[in-house]
Amino acid sequence: EDQVTQSPEALRLQEGESSSLNCSYTVSGLRGLFWYRQDPGKGPEFLFTLYSAGEEKEKERLKATLTKKESFLHITAPKPEDSATYLCAVNANAGKSTFGDGTTLTVKP
Amino acid sequence: EPEVTQTPSHQVTQMGQEVILRCVPISNHLYFYWYRQILGQKVEFLVSFYNNEISEKSEIFDDQFSVERPDGSNFTLKIRSTKLEDSAMYFCASSESQGWTEAFFGQGTRLTVV
């Protein structure tokens, strides 16, 4: 069974304080790893797709990396508007993605 | 920017009643999904749908659930006889390809069973 574990569960940062979120996974034959952002009461908003170990993607203050066992979402100089829950999901069997519990990020001004 | 739209945004229903949740996927997408998220819990896969048939479903998706694409634009989830434990946010998603490309999610329907 596919498993996704995200850590930490919650992260509080000061504005400008860079940090990383972790997503470790166990799947048989990874097809894709996805990062989403979710605001309270809203649907997941797509951020990145990573397909193979060594791959990196960047968007504004966010950078996602992938190894054979885990992915990191690096947040550089975060702003209060980056506060949200960040979800990691993996796809090994076509048609189904398995999500982690998420990391709730709070950035204080 | 294309988006997945869901209606209604909030549905309150009595236990045992039937509900239909509606979704309009992104127009050029071929794969459609329903996920749910119970308050405070993780997003859980329910079902995937392609070429007018279910391609995969989870253990949650039992005989009380059904999906349909009644026309060229809508995708629906029906719960025949709702239970209290069906209360959750239900998200529709769509993707261009199955699995290895990202799925785009709607804003969800909050279903409350009383």
Side-chain angles (χ1 to χ4, degrees):
Chain A
E1 187 178 327
D2 302 339
Q3 289 195 330
V4 179
T5 304
Q6 292 189 246
S7 61
E9 187 175 315
L11 182 62
R12 289 176 172 268
L13 299 173
Q14 287 295 129
E15 184 172 2
E17 180 187 1
S18 302
S19 188
S20 296
L21 283 53
N22 177 263
C23 170
S24 61
Y25 62 90
T26 305
V27 297
S28 53
L30 180 72
R31 291 193 169 198
L33 183 142
F34 312 109
W35 281 98
Y36 289 87
R37 168 189 171 131
Q38 187 176 30
D39 292 301
K42 305 289 186 183
E45 176 189 343
F46 169 74
L47 294 173
F48 303 110
T49 306
L50 301 166
Y51 293 109
S52 57
E55 190 175 359
E56 298 183 352
K57 294 271 179 78
E58 276 189 79
K59 179 181 178 180
E60 295 180 355
R61 295 178 292 282
L62 301 176
K63 179 180 175 180
T65 61
L66 181 66
T67 71
K68 288 187 178 179
K69 293 184 178 181
E70 57 191 350
S71 176
F72 291 93
L73 184 66
H74 307 279
I75 302 176
T76 302
K79 298 182 178 181
E81 53 261 43
D82 295 321
S83 297
T85 296
Y86 291 85
L87 305 175
C88 172
V90 297
N91 185 282
N93 299 315
K96 169 189 173 182
S97 288
T98 301
F99 280 79
D101 288 312
T103 293
T104 300
L105 174 66
T106 304
V107 181
K108 292 188 172 284
Chain B
E1 187 174 322
E3 59 179 16
V4 176
T5 57
Q6 291 185 241
T7 54
S9 56
H10 192 189
Q11 172 103 36
V12 181
T13 188
Q14 291 204 327
M15 192 167 53
Q17 294 296 305
E18 174 183 288
V19 294
I20 297 176
L21 310 183
R22 303 181 190 279
C23 168
V24 178
I26 295 173
S27 61
N28 65 330
H29 286 184
L30 300 176
Y31 297 86
F32 315 114
Y33 314 88
W34 285 100
Y35 286 80
R36 81 172 185 189
Q37 186 174 32
I38 296 171
L39 187 64
Q41 298 187 23
K42 66 174 67 178
V43 175
E44 299 176 290
F45 170 78
L46 292 179
V47 66
S48 61
F49 191 86
Y50 169 70
N51 199 25
N52 282 319
E53 60 182 27
I54 290 173
S55 53
E56 191 164 355
K57 61 182 181 179
S58 72
E59 295 174 351
I60 303 168
F61 194 89
D62 62 20
D63 292 345
Q64 293 300 311
F65 291 86
S66 63
V67 290
E68 192 177 36
R69 187 153 164 83
D71 53 45
S73 59
N74 291 285
F75 180 50
T76 62
L77 174 69
K78 181 194 289 186
I79 309 175
R80 289 189 181 79
S81 178
T82 50
K83 305 171 189 171
L84 294 176
E85 55 264 36
D86 293 328
S87 296
M89 279 286 273
Y90 287 81
F91 295 111
C92 174
S94 68
S95 65
E96 290 183 354
S97 302
Q98 192 174 31
W100 49 89
T101 61
E102 58 275 4
F104 290 88
F105 284 74
Q107 291 301 294
T109 293
R110 178 167 298 285
L111 177 65
T112 303
V113 182
V114 297

Short mmCIF file of all heavy atoms in Angstrom, two decimals, chain A residues 12-69:
data_model
loop_
_atom_site.label_atom_id
_atom_site.label_comp_id
_atom_site.label_asym_id
_atom_site.label_seq_id
_atom_site.Cartn_x
_atom_site.Cartn_y
_atom_site.Cartn_z
N ARG A 12 5.80 27.09 12.29
CA ARG A 12 5.60 28.54 12.46
C ARG A 12 6.91 29.23 12.14
O ARG A 12 7.95 28.89 12.71
CB ARG A 12 5.19 28.85 13.89
CG ARG A 12 3.79 28.43 14.25
CD ARG A 12 3.50 28.69 15.73
NE ARG A 12 2.11 28.45 16.03
CZ ARG A 12 1.17 29.39 15.98
NH1 ARG A 12 1.49 30.61 15.67
NH2 ARG A 12 -0.08 29.10 16.27
N LEU A 13 6.87 30.19 11.24
CA LEU A 13 8.05 30.93 10.83
C LEU A 13 7.82 32.42 10.96
O LEU A 13 6.68 32.89 10.84
CB LEU A 13 8.42 30.61 9.38
CG LEU A 13 8.75 29.15 9.03
CD1 LEU A 13 8.91 28.99 7.52
CD2 LEU A 13 10.00 28.70 9.75
N GLN A 14 8.89 33.14 11.17
CA GLN A 14 8.83 34.59 11.05
C GLN A 14 8.98 34.95 9.58
O GLN A 14 9.65 34.24 8.81
CB GLN A 14 9.94 35.26 11.86
CG GLN A 14 9.75 35.22 13.37
CD GLN A 14 8.52 36.01 13.80
OE1 GLN A 14 7.67 35.52 14.53
NE2 GLN A 14 8.43 37.24 13.33
N GLU A 15 8.38 36.03 9.19
CA GLU A 15 8.54 36.50 7.81
C GLU A 15 10.02 36.60 7.48
O GLU A 15 10.80 37.18 8.25
CB GLU A 15 7.86 37.86 7.64
CG GLU A 15 7.88 38.37 6.22
CD GLU A 15 7.02 39.62 6.04
OE1 GLU A 15 6.44 40.10 7.05
OE2 GLU A 15 6.92 40.11 4.91
N GLY A 16 10.41 36.01 6.34
CA GLY A 16 11.82 36.04 5.93
C GLY A 16 12.65 34.87 6.41
O GLY A 16 13.79 34.70 5.96
N GLU A 17 12.08 34.04 7.29
CA GLU A 17 12.82 32.91 7.85
C GLU A 17 12.62 31.67 6.97
O GLU A 17 11.55 31.06 6.96
CB GLU A 17 12.34 32.63 9.28
CG GLU A 17 13.04 31.47 9.96
CD GLU A 17 12.41 31.12 11.30
OE1 GLU A 17 11.41 31.77 11.69
OE2 GLU A 17 12.92 30.19 11.95
N SER A 18 13.63 31.28 6.25
CA SER A 18 13.53 30.17 5.30
C SER A 18 13.48 28.83 6.03
O SER A 18 14.04 28.68 7.12
CB SER A 18 14.71 30.19 4.33
OG SER A 18 14.76 31.41 3.63
N SER A 19 12.83 27.85 5.42
CA SER A 19 12.75 26.52 6.00
C SER A 19 12.35 25.50 4.94
O SER A 19 12.17 25.86 3.76
CB SER A 19 11.73 26.51 7.14
OG SER A 19 11.76 25.29 7.84
N SER A 20 12.22 24.23 5.35
CA SER A 20 11.86 23.17 4.42
C SER A 20 10.79 22.27 5.03
O SER A 20 10.78 22.02 6.24
CB SER A 20 13.08 22.31 4.08
OG SER A 20 14.06 23.06 3.40
N LEU A 21 9.92 21.77 4.16
CA LEU A 21 8.90 20.80 4.52
C LEU A 21 9.31 19.47 3.89
O LEU A 21 9.81 19.43 2.76
CB LEU A 21 7.54 21.20 3.99
CG LEU A 21 6.74 22.29 4.67
CD1 LEU A 21 7.52 23.58 4.85
CD2 LEU A 21 5.44 22.56 3.91
N ASN A 22 9.03 18.38 4.61
CA ASN A 22 9.45 17.08 4.14
C ASN A 22 8.26 16.19 3.78
O ASN A 22 7.21 16.24 4.43
CB ASN A 22 10.27 16.38 5.22
CG ASN A 22 10.67 14.97 4.80
OD1 ASN A 22 10.02 13.99 5.16
ND2 ASN A 22 11.74 14.86 4.02
N CYS A 23 8.41 15.40 2.74
CA CYS A 23 7.42 14.41 2.34
C CYS A 23 8.17 13.11 2.05
O CYS A 23 8.93 13.04 1.07
CB CYS A 23 6.66 14.89 1.11
SG CYS A 23 5.60 13.63 0.34
N SER A 24 8.00 12.13 2.88
CA SER A 24 8.63 10.83 2.61
C SER A 24 7.56 9.87 2.11
O SER A 24 6.41 9.93 2.56
CB SER A 24 9.32 10.28 3.85
OG SER A 24 8.41 10.09 4.89
N TYR A 25 7.93 9.00 1.20
CA TYR A 25 6.92 8.16 0.58
C TYR A 25 7.42 6.73 0.38
O TYR A 25 8.63 6.49 0.25
CB TYR A 25 6.48 8.76 -0.77
CG TYR A 25 7.59 8.88 -1.79
CD1 TYR A 25 7.85 7.84 -2.68
CD2 TYR A 25 8.36 10.03 -1.87
CE1 TYR A 25 8.86 7.94 -3.61
CE2 TYR A 25 9.37 10.15 -2.81
CZ TYR A 25 9.62 9.10 -3.67
OH TYR A 25 10.63 9.21 -4.60
N THR A 26 6.46 5.83 0.34
CA THR A 26 6.72 4.43 0.02
C THR A 26 5.70 4.02 -1.02
O THR A 26 4.51 3.96 -0.74
CB THR A 26 6.58 3.53 1.26
OG1 THR A 26 7.42 4.01 2.30
CG2 THR A 26 6.95 2.09 0.92
N VAL A 27 6.18 3.80 -2.23
CA VAL A 27 5.30 3.39 -3.32
C VAL A 27 6.04 2.36 -4.17
O VAL A 27 7.27 2.32 -4.19
CB VAL A 27 4.87 4.57 -4.22
CG1 VAL A 27 4.06 5.58 -3.46
CG2 VAL A 27 6.06 5.20 -4.89
N SER A 28 5.28 1.58 -4.88
CA SER A 28 5.90 0.65 -5.81
C SER A 28 5.76 1.21 -7.22
O SER A 28 4.74 1.06 -7.86
CB SER A 28 5.21 -0.71 -5.72
OG SER A 28 3.81 -0.55 -5.88
N GLY A 29 6.81 1.89 -7.65
CA GLY A 29 6.79 2.44 -9.00
C GLY A 29 6.16 3.82 -9.07
O GLY A 29 5.03 3.99 -9.50
N LEU A 30 6.94 4.82 -8.64
CA LEU A 30 6.41 6.19 -8.61
C LEU A 30 6.22 6.70 -10.03
O LEU A 30 7.12 6.67 -10.85
CB LEU A 30 7.38 7.10 -7.86
CG LEU A 30 6.96 8.57 -7.74
CD1 LEU A 30 5.80 8.70 -6.77
CD2 LEU A 30 8.14 9.43 -7.30
N ARG A 31 5.02 7.21 -10.29
CA ARG A 31 4.76 7.85 -11.58
C ARG A 31 4.87 9.36 -11.46
O ARG A 31 5.28 10.03 -12.41
CB ARG A 31 3.38 7.49 -12.09
CG ARG A 31 3.25 6.03 -12.48
CD ARG A 31 2.00 5.80 -13.26
NE ARG A 31 1.99 4.47 -13.84
CZ ARG A 31 1.20 4.11 -14.83
NH1 ARG A 31 0.37 4.98 -15.35
NH2 ARG A 31 1.24 2.89 -15.30
N GLY A 32 4.51 9.89 -10.33
CA GLY A 32 4.61 11.33 -10.14
C GLY A 32 4.40 11.68 -8.69
O GLY A 32 3.67 11.00 -7.98
N LEU A 33 5.07 12.75 -8.24
CA LEU A 33 4.86 13.29 -6.89
C LEU A 33 4.39 14.72 -7.06
O LEU A 33 4.97 15.48 -7.85
CB LEU A 33 6.15 13.23 -6.07
CG LEU A 33 6.01 13.69 -4.62
CD1 LEU A 33 6.86 12.84 -3.69
CD2 LEU A 33 6.33 15.15 -4.43
N PHE A 34 3.33 15.07 -6.36
CA PHE A 34 2.69 16.37 -6.53
C PHE A 34 2.71 17.14 -5.23
O PHE A 34 2.52 16.56 -4.15
CB PHE A 34 1.23 16.19 -6.98
CG PHE A 34 1.07 15.22 -8.12
CD1 PHE A 34 0.49 13.99 -7.92
CD2 PHE A 34 1.48 15.55 -9.39
CE1 PHE A 34 0.33 13.09 -8.94
CE2 PHE A 34 1.34 14.65 -10.44
CZ PHE A 34 0.75 13.42 -10.22
N TRP A 35 2.92 18.44 -5.33
CA TRP A 35 2.75 19.34 -4.20
C TRP A 35 1.56 20.25 -4.48
O TRP A 35 1.41 20.78 -5.59
CB TRP A 35 3.99 20.19 -3.98
CG TRP A 35 5.12 19.48 -3.29
CD1 TRP A 35 6.20 18.90 -3.87
CD2 TRP A 35 5.26 19.29 -1.88
NE1 TRP A 35 7.01 18.35 -2.90
CE2 TRP A 35 6.47 18.59 -1.67
CE3 TRP A 35 4.50 19.65 -0.75
CZ2 TRP A 35 6.92 18.23 -0.40
CZ3 TRP A 35 4.96 19.30 0.51
CH2 TRP A 35 6.16 18.60 0.68
N TYR A 36 0.72 20.39 -3.47
CA TYR A 36 -0.44 21.26 -3.54
C TYR A 36 -0.41 22.20 -2.33
O TYR A 36 0.12 21.89 -1.28
CB TYR A 36 -1.74 20.46 -3.48
CG TYR A 36 -2.06 19.65 -4.70
CD1 TYR A 36 -1.57 18.36 -4.86
CD2 TYR A 36 -2.87 20.16 -5.71
CE1 TYR A 36 -1.88 17.60 -5.98
CE2 TYR A 36 -3.20 19.41 -6.83
CZ TYR A 36 -2.70 18.14 -6.96
OH TYR A 36 -3.01 17.39 -8.07
N ARG A 37 -1.06 23.32 -2.50
CA ARG A 37 -1.32 24.25 -1.40
C ARG A 37 -2.82 24.24 -1.15
O ARG A 37 -3.62 24.25 -2.09
CB ARG A 37 -0.87 25.65 -1.81
CG ARG A 37 -1.34 26.73 -0.87
CD ARG A 37 -1.08 28.12 -1.39
NE ARG A 37 -1.75 29.10 -0.56
CZ ARG A 37 -1.15 30.19 -0.06
NH1 ARG A 37 0.12 30.45 -0.36
NH2 ARG A 37 -1.83 31.01 0.69
N GLN A 38 -3.22 24.20 0.13
CA GLN A 38 -4.63 24.23 0.45
C GLN A 38 -4.90 25.30 1.50
O GLN A 38 -4.33 25.28 2.59
CB GLN A 38 -5.12 22.87 0.95
CG GLN A 38 -6.64 22.81 1.15
CD GLN A 38 -7.14 21.44 1.55
OE1 GLN A 38 -6.45 20.68 2.21
NE2 GLN A 38 -8.37 21.12 1.15
N ASP A 39 -5.77 26.23 1.16
CA ASP A 39 -6.22 27.24 2.11
C ASP A 39 -7.47 26.73 2.80
O ASP A 39 -8.20 25.89 2.25
CB ASP A 39 -6.50 28.56 1.38
CG ASP A 39 -5.22 29.19 0.86
OD1 ASP A 39 -4.34 29.47 1.69
OD2 ASP A 39 -5.09 29.37 -0.37
N PRO A 40 -7.77 27.21 4.01
CA PRO A 40 -8.92 26.69 4.78
C PRO A 40 -10.22 26.76 3.99
O PRO A 40 -10.55 27.80 3.41
CB PRO A 40 -8.95 27.61 6.00
CG PRO A 40 -7.54 28.07 6.17
CD PRO A 40 -7.00 28.21 4.79
N GLY A 41 -10.93 25.65 3.92
CA GLY A 41 -12.22 25.59 3.25
C GLY A 41 -12.15 25.60 1.74
O GLY A 41 -13.18 25.74 1.06
N LYS A 42 -10.95 25.45 1.19
CA LYS A 42 -10.78 25.48 -0.26
C LYS A 42 -10.22 24.16 -0.78
O LYS A 42 -9.77 23.31 0.00
CB LYS A 42 -9.80 26.61 -0.65
CG LYS A 42 -10.18 27.98 -0.15
CD LYS A 42 -11.38 28.52 -0.88
CE LYS A 42 -11.67 29.96 -0.46
NZ LYS A 42 -12.89 30.48 -1.12
N GLY A 43 -10.25 24.01 -2.10
CA GLY A 43 -9.68 22.83 -2.70
C GLY A 43 -8.17 22.95 -2.85
O GLY A 43 -7.62 24.06 -2.84
N PRO A 44 -7.47 21.82 -2.97
CA PRO A 44 -6.03 21.87 -3.19
C PRO A 44 -5.68 22.60 -4.48
O PRO A 44 -6.30 22.38 -5.51
CB PRO A 44 -5.64 20.39 -3.28
CG PRO A 44 -6.72 19.65 -2.56
CD PRO A 44 -7.96 20.44 -2.84
N GLU A 45 -4.68 23.46 -4.38
CA GLU A 45 -4.21 24.25 -5.53
C GLU A 45 -2.87 23.68 -5.98
O GLU A 45 -1.91 23.63 -5.21
CB GLU A 45 -4.07 25.71 -5.15
CG GLU A 45 -3.49 26.60 -6.23
CD GLU A 45 -3.17 28.00 -5.71
OE1 GLU A 45 -3.67 28.37 -4.63
OE2 GLU A 45 -2.39 28.71 -6.37
N PHE A 46 -2.79 23.27 -7.24
CA PHE A 46 -1.59 22.61 -7.74
C PHE A 46 -0.38 23.55 -7.72
O PHE A 46 -0.47 24.72 -8.11
CB PHE A 46 -1.83 22.11 -9.16
CG PHE A 46 -0.58 21.65 -9.85
CD1 PHE A 46 0.00 20.45 -9.50
CD2 PHE A 46 0.03 22.44 -10.82
CE1 PHE A 46 1.16 20.03 -10.13
CE2 PHE A 46 1.18 22.02 -11.45
CZ PHE A 46 1.75 20.82 -11.10
N LEU A 47 0.76 23.01 -7.26
CA LEU A 47 2.02 23.75 -7.27
C LEU A 47 3.04 23.12 -8.22
O LEU A 47 3.52 23.78 -9.13
CB LEU A 47 2.62 23.81 -5.85
CG LEU A 47 1.85 24.59 -4.80
CD1 LEU A 47 2.49 24.40 -3.42
CD2 LEU A 47 1.78 26.07 -5.16
N PHE A 48 3.41 21.86 -7.97
CA PHE A 48 4.49 21.22 -8.73
C PHE A 48 4.19 19.75 -8.98
O PHE A 48 3.53 19.11 -8.19
CB PHE A 48 5.81 21.26 -7.94
CG PHE A 48 6.29 22.61 -7.54
CD1 PHE A 48 6.27 22.99 -6.21
CD2 PHE A 48 6.79 23.50 -8.48
CE1 PHE A 48 6.72 24.23 -5.82
CE2 PHE A 48 7.25 24.74 -8.10
CZ PHE A 48 7.22 25.11 -6.77
N THR A 49 4.77 19.25 -10.07
CA THR A 49 4.87 17.81 -10.30
C THR A 49 6.34 17.45 -10.47
O THR A 49 7.08 18.13 -11.19
CB THR A 49 4.13 17.39 -11.59
OG1 THR A 49 2.79 17.84 -11.54
CG2 THR A 49 4.16 15.87 -11.72
N LEU A 50 6.77 16.39 -9.80
CA LEU A 50 8.13 15.87 -9.93
C LEU A 50 8.03 14.41 -10.35
O LEU A 50 7.21 13.66 -9.83
CB LEU A 50 8.89 15.98 -8.59
CG LEU A 50 9.03 17.39 -8.03
CD1 LEU A 50 9.48 17.36 -6.58
CD2 LEU A 50 10.02 18.20 -8.88
N TYR A 51 8.87 14.02 -11.29
CA TYR A 51 8.75 12.68 -11.84
C TYR A 51 9.90 11.75 -11.50
O TYR A 51 9.71 10.53 -11.40
CB TYR A 51 8.63 12.75 -13.37
CG TYR A 51 7.35 13.38 -13.84
CD1 TYR A 51 7.34 14.64 -14.44
CD2 TYR A 51 6.13 12.73 -13.70
CE1 TYR A 51 6.16 15.21 -14.87
CE2 TYR A 51 4.94 13.30 -14.14
CZ TYR A 51 4.98 14.54 -14.72
OH TYR A 51 3.80 15.11 -15.16
N SER A 52 11.12 12.30 -11.35
CA SER A 52 12.26 11.41 -11.14
C SER A 52 13.24 12.02 -10.15
O SER A 52 13.32 13.25 -10.01
CB SER A 52 12.94 11.12 -12.47
OG SER A 52 13.35 12.31 -13.09
N ALA A 53 13.98 11.15 -9.48
CA ALA A 53 14.97 11.57 -8.49
C ALA A 53 15.97 12.54 -9.11
O ALA A 53 16.44 12.34 -10.23
CB ALA A 53 15.70 10.35 -7.93
N GLY A 54 16.24 13.60 -8.38
CA GLY A 54 17.15 14.63 -8.86
C GLY A 54 16.45 15.82 -9.50
O GLY A 54 17.06 16.86 -9.73
N GLU A 55 15.18 15.65 -9.76
CA GLU A 55 14.42 16.73 -10.41
C GLU A 55 14.11 17.84 -9.41
O GLU A 55 13.89 17.58 -8.23
CB GLU A 55 13.12 16.16 -10.99
CG GLU A 55 12.38 17.14 -11.90
CD GLU A 55 11.16 16.49 -12.54
OE1 GLU A 55 10.90 15.29 -12.30
OE2 GLU A 55 10.48 17.19 -13.31
N GLU A 56 14.12 19.08 -9.88
CA GLU A 56 13.81 20.24 -9.07
C GLU A 56 12.86 21.14 -9.87
O GLU A 56 12.98 21.26 -11.09
CB GLU A 56 15.07 21.03 -8.71
CG GLU A 56 16.08 20.27 -7.89
CD GLU A 56 17.27 21.12 -7.51
OE1 GLU A 56 17.39 22.26 -8.00
OE2 GLU A 56 18.10 20.63 -6.69
N LYS A 57 11.95 21.79 -9.15
CA LYS A 57 11.04 22.76 -9.76
C LYS A 57 10.98 23.98 -8.85
O LYS A 57 11.03 23.85 -7.62
CB LYS A 57 9.63 22.17 -9.92
CG LYS A 57 9.53 21.01 -10.90
CD LYS A 57 9.25 21.47 -12.29
CE LYS A 57 9.17 20.31 -13.26
NZ LYS A 57 7.87 19.60 -13.19
N GLU A 58 10.85 25.16 -9.45
CA GLU A 58 10.78 26.39 -8.67
C GLU A 58 9.62 27.26 -9.11
O GLU A 58 9.27 27.30 -10.30
CB GLU A 58 12.08 27.21 -8.86
CG GLU A 58 13.21 26.81 -7.98
CD GLU A 58 14.38 27.79 -8.06
OE1 GLU A 58 14.30 28.86 -7.43
OE2 GLU A 58 15.35 27.46 -8.75
N LYS A 59 9.07 27.95 -8.12
CA LYS A 59 8.01 28.92 -8.42
C LYS A 59 8.02 29.96 -7.32
O LYS A 59 7.72 29.67 -6.16
CB LYS A 59 6.65 28.22 -8.46
CG LYS A 59 5.47 29.12 -8.75
CD LYS A 59 4.18 28.31 -8.74
CE LYS A 59 2.97 29.18 -8.97
NZ LYS A 59 1.72 28.39 -8.97
N GLU A 60 8.41 31.15 -7.68
CA GLU A 60 8.51 32.28 -6.73
C GLU A 60 9.38 31.86 -5.55
O GLU A 60 10.56 31.55 -5.70
CB GLU A 60 7.11 32.73 -6.31
CG GLU A 60 6.31 33.30 -7.47
CD GLU A 60 4.92 33.76 -7.06
OE1 GLU A 60 4.52 33.55 -5.89
OE2 GLU A 60 4.22 34.33 -7.90
N ARG A 61 8.84 31.83 -4.34
CA ARG A 61 9.64 31.54 -3.15
C ARG A 61 9.71 30.05 -2.84
O ARG A 61 10.30 29.65 -1.82
CB ARG A 61 9.05 32.29 -1.94
CG ARG A 61 9.15 33.81 -2.09
CD ARG A 61 8.51 34.51 -0.90
NE ARG A 61 7.06 34.32 -0.88
CZ ARG A 61 6.22 34.99 -1.65
NH1 ARG A 61 6.67 35.87 -2.50
NH2 ARG A 61 4.91 34.77 -1.55
N LEU A 62 9.11 29.22 -3.67
CA LEU A 62 9.04 27.78 -3.43
C LEU A 62 9.94 27.01 -4.38
O LEU A 62 10.02 27.33 -5.57
CB LEU A 62 7.60 27.29 -3.59
CG LEU A 62 6.54 27.93 -2.69
CD1 LEU A 62 5.17 27.39 -3.05
CD2 LEU A 62 6.84 27.66 -1.23
N LYS A 63 10.57 25.98 -3.82
CA LYS A 63 11.38 25.08 -4.64
C LYS A 63 11.16 23.65 -4.15
O LYS A 63 11.28 23.38 -2.96
CB LYS A 63 12.86 25.43 -4.51
CG LYS A 63 13.79 24.53 -5.31
CD LYS A 63 15.23 24.97 -5.10
CE LYS A 63 16.22 24.07 -5.75
NZ LYS A 63 17.62 24.53 -5.53
N ALA A 64 10.80 22.78 -5.07
CA ALA A 64 10.54 21.38 -4.72
C ALA A 64 11.64 20.50 -5.29
O ALA A 64 12.08 20.70 -6.43
CB ALA A 64 9.19 20.94 -5.27
N THR A 65 12.09 19.54 -4.48
CA THR A 65 13.12 18.60 -4.91
C THR A 65 12.65 17.19 -4.63
O THR A 65 11.77 16.96 -3.79
CB THR A 65 14.44 18.86 -4.17
OG1 THR A 65 14.24 18.68 -2.76
CG2 THR A 65 14.94 20.28 -4.43
N LEU A 66 13.28 16.23 -5.33
CA LEU A 66 12.84 14.84 -5.20
C LEU A 66 14.04 13.90 -5.14
O LEU A 66 14.98 14.03 -5.94
CB LEU A 66 11.96 14.45 -6.39
CG LEU A 66 11.40 13.03 -6.41
CD1 LEU A 66 10.41 12.81 -5.26
CD2 LEU A 66 10.72 12.73 -7.75
N THR A 67 13.99 12.96 -4.18
CA THR A 67 14.94 11.85 -4.15
C THR A 67 14.13 10.57 -4.29
O THR A 67 12.91 10.61 -4.46
CB THR A 67 15.74 11.81 -2.83
OG1 THR A 67 14.87 11.39 -1.77
CG2 THR A 67 16.32 13.19 -2.50
N LYS A 68 14.80 9.43 -4.16
CA LYS A 68 14.09 8.17 -4.35
C LYS A 68 13.15 7.85 -3.19
O LYS A 68 12.27 6.99 -3.32
CB LYS A 68 15.08 7.03 -4.54
CG LYS A 68 15.76 7.07 -5.90
CD LYS A 68 16.61 5.84 -6.14
CE LYS A 68 17.23 5.89 -7.53
NZ LYS A 68 18.09 4.72 -7.81
N LYS A 69 13.32 8.55 -2.06
CA LYS A 69 12.49 8.23 -0.91
C LYS A 69 11.72 9.41 -0.35
O LYS A 69 10.83 9.23 0.47
CB LYS A 69 13.36 7.65 0.22
CG LYS A 69 13.96 6.30 -0.11
CD LYS A 69 14.72 5.75 1.09
CE LYS A 69 15.28 4.37 0.78
NZ LYS A 69 16.00 3.80 1.94
#
